Amino acid sequence: MFCVESTELGAIMNITKGGLVLFSANSNSSCMELSRRIAERLGLEMGKVQVYQEPNRETRVQIQESVRGKDVFIIQTVSKDVNTTIMELLIMVYACKTSCAKSIIGVVPYFPYSKQCKMRKRGSIVSKLLASMMCKAGLTHLITMDLHQKEIQGFFNIPVDNLRASPFLLQYIQEEIPDYRNAVIVAKSPASAKRAQSFAERLRLGIAVIHGEAQDAESDLVDGRHSPPTVKSVSAIHPSLEIPMLIPKEKPPITVVGDVGGRIAIIVDDIIDDVDSFLAAAETLKERGAYKIFVMATHGLLSSDAPRLIEESAIDEVVVTNTIPHEIQKLQCPKIKTVDISMILSEAIRRIHNGESMSYLFRNIGLDD
């Protein structure tokens, strides 16, 4: 695992005042590795708690030490059973609230349901529902990383610190890709162009954008907020009302805006889950002359057959952080590499507990990052 070290952070990491308790809300032991890394960096022992599933699949949480008047930090990494993960977090937060904890801070590196943050036809904004549930349970602060949409912070009525993984990914590019000066940063769709531009400007590299790919689930075409109820005829609304019809979109043939011939292509995104769009982008880049292809993402969900598909694809390496455990996927696909981000989470916990400014962790971050 690639770890970023910082002398300045490392020198102050263990300086924490008393009254801090660190819990892991996962019943799945494979999801506790990040919690252990954070505790080790802070020089703390993990709090004593039991989280398990009853035979009827109900979640039970038993806190086994006093949290009265203390700052409680609950670390929750998302497992494949995302709904159980959410219930574990909510029940533990509520248990700490009823045990008179001074403050309850959730450390949720990957915020689940973050892709469901817009209205789709007659669906719902599930990330807003989840934010309301967390606040209602008793959460007083949230630490997360690279939200799918930064506007999700507005769904909460508590402070939210949306940390960035890009410094760690940028350092990986500089230290682990020897010929990165001959690289170009690629956005696999126009929606990813801002992230790609941010990486390109910091590395002083060129940018390329793939345009014309197949319609994805987040397109405005599936936004049904303006869809009228079914009517028998236009005259049923009003005989004199003629509403102009929006011209339907038509995707052009796939094109690559930017030169990738004879270059290393580095595709950047926030989440890699269903890999079909990444595989299609890699094939397009190979056809345009890219001789090596990397994929960089913060959250590596890597669901279903993703490891096998990546192993058989034109992608040379997939680099993700450990916001989500993926050790099994790494065994299935050696191309998957991990960057450790426990350092920035540890420092965020230390600063919040000690009442210090968080601005150090957001230096040089602009509105578009």
Side-chain angles (χ1 to χ4, degrees):
M1 181 179 294
F2 180 81
C3 298
V4 179
E5 294 297 338
S6 168
T7 305
E8 184 177 353
L9 283 180
I12 61 178
M13 191 64 71
N14 290 332
I15 303 175
T16 56
K17 300 176 183 178
L20 184 154
V21 182
L22 206 61
F23 286 132
S24 174
N26 286 110
S27 58
N28 188 342
S29 59
S30 65
C31 296
M32 297 179 65
E33 177 60 28
L34 181 59
S35 302
R36 285 192 284 265
R37 286 176 174 270
I38 292 172
E40 183 180 345
R41 288 187 180 276
L42 289 170
L44 298 172
E45 296 289 334
M46 291 299 300
K48 298 175 182 177
V49 63
Q50 278 191 329
V51 184
Y52 58 95
Q53 309 299 317
E54 297 278 13
N56 64 356
R57 302 301 298 161
E58 289 184 359
T59 299
R60 185 175 291 274
V61 173
Q62 292 181 341
I63 297 173
Q64 299 177 319
E65 63 179 88
S66 174
V67 296
R68 183 179 293 272
K70 296 182 179 180
D71 292 332
V72 178
F73 290 82
I74 301 174
I75 304 168
Q76 183 67 320
T77 51
V78 176
S79 67
K80 295 301 177 185
D81 189 352
V82 63
N83 295 324
T84 298
T85 299
I86 291 169
M87 285 307 300
E88 289 171 347
L89 176 63
L90 294 174
I91 293 172
M92 182 172 285
V93 168
Y94 189 65
C96 292
K97 177 183 178 181
T98 55
S99 298
C100 301
K102 177 184 174 184
S103 61
I104 307 166
I105 299 93
V107 183
V108 187
Y110 169 67
F111 187 73
Y113 287 98
S114 60
K115 284 192 172 183
Q116 297 189 48
C117 60
K118 297 180 181 179
M119 182 64 74
R120 303 295 179 203
K121 294 188 176 178
R122 293 170 182 85
S124 61
I125 305 176
V126 183
S127 54
K128 166 61 176 173
L129 171 64
L130 183 54
S132 300
M133 291 166 65
M134 288 181 174
C135 296
K136 188 67 175 178
L139 207 66
T140 61
H141 198 135
L142 178 68
I143 301 171
T144 187
M145 179 166 281
D146 281 337
L147 288 168
H148 186 58
Q149 297 288 340
K150 293 188 289 293
E151 292 77 10
I152 293 175
Q153 295 173 83
F155 294 160
F156 292 85
N157 55 16
I158 58 173
V160 177
D161 286 310
N162 182 28
L163 303 175
R164 305 297 198 275
S166 52
F168 298 88
L169 297 175
L170 289 167
Q171 187 167 5
Y172 183 94
I173 292 172
Q174 293 174 315
E175 295 182 0
E176 302 297 320
I177 303 178
D179 197 21
Y180 84 93
R181 289 293 182 189
N182 188 37
V184 59
I185 305 298
V186 179
K188 67 180 179 64
S189 68
S192 306
K194 281 188 177 181
R195 180 179 294 270
Q197 181 183 358
S198 175
F199 273 67
E201 289 177 351
R202 282 168 167 74
L203 293 169
R204 313 303 193 260
L205 298 177
I207 185 173
V209 180
I210 299 175
H211 181 53
E213 74 279 11
Q215 194 70 44
D216 59 30
E218 295 196 60
S219 161
D220 289 338
L221 284 181
V222 298
D223 188 339
R225 286 173 293 179
H226 306 292
S227 60
T230 304
V231 291
K232 292 183 179 180
S233 65
V234 177
S235 60
I237 299 175
H238 195 282
S240 62
L241 184 62
E242 294 184 6
I243 301 175
M245 183 178 294
L246 187 65
I247 299 172
K249 291 181 180 179
E250 183 177 336
K251 287 284 184 179
I254 292 179
T255 58
V256 178
V257 182
D259 181 22
V260 297
R263 313 283 286 277
I264 298 172
I266 303 176
I267 304 171
V268 296
D269 212 336
D270 62 328
I271 299 172
I272 177 167
D273 186 6
D274 179 10
V275 297
D276 289 345
S277 59
F278 290 93
L279 302 184
E283 289 296 332
T284 301
L285 293 170
K286 276 289 185 183
E287 292 171 3
R288 300 301 194 280
Y291 72 90
K292 207 166 187 179
I293 299 171
F294 290 79
V295 174
M296 315 284 292
T298 302
H299 309 295
L301 276 69
L302 301 169
S303 301
S304 190
D305 291 333
R308 178 183 61 82
L309 294 173
I310 291 170
E311 185 66 23
E312 297 172 354
S313 73
I315 296 172
D316 293 281
E317 195 168 283
V318 173
V319 183
V320 292
T321 72
N322 56 343
T323 56
I324 296 172
H326 47 261
E327 294 306 314
I328 295 175
Q329 289 90 330
K330 288 176 69 175
L331 293 174
Q332 297 171 339
C333 178
K335 291 182 179 181
I336 300 172
K337 309 297 181 183
T338 307
V339 174
D340 180 28
I341 45 79
S342 62
M343 175 178 290
I344 192 170
L345 294 173
S346 304
E347 181 63 7
I349 290 171
R350 191 194 68 81
R351 286 175 176 269
I352 290 172
H353 174 62
N354 291 345
E356 299 177 18
S357 171
M358 293 287 285
S359 60
Y360 176 77
L361 304 180
F362 293 96
R363 62 198 189 284
N364 298 328
I365 291 178
L367 292 175
D368 293 334
D369 292 326

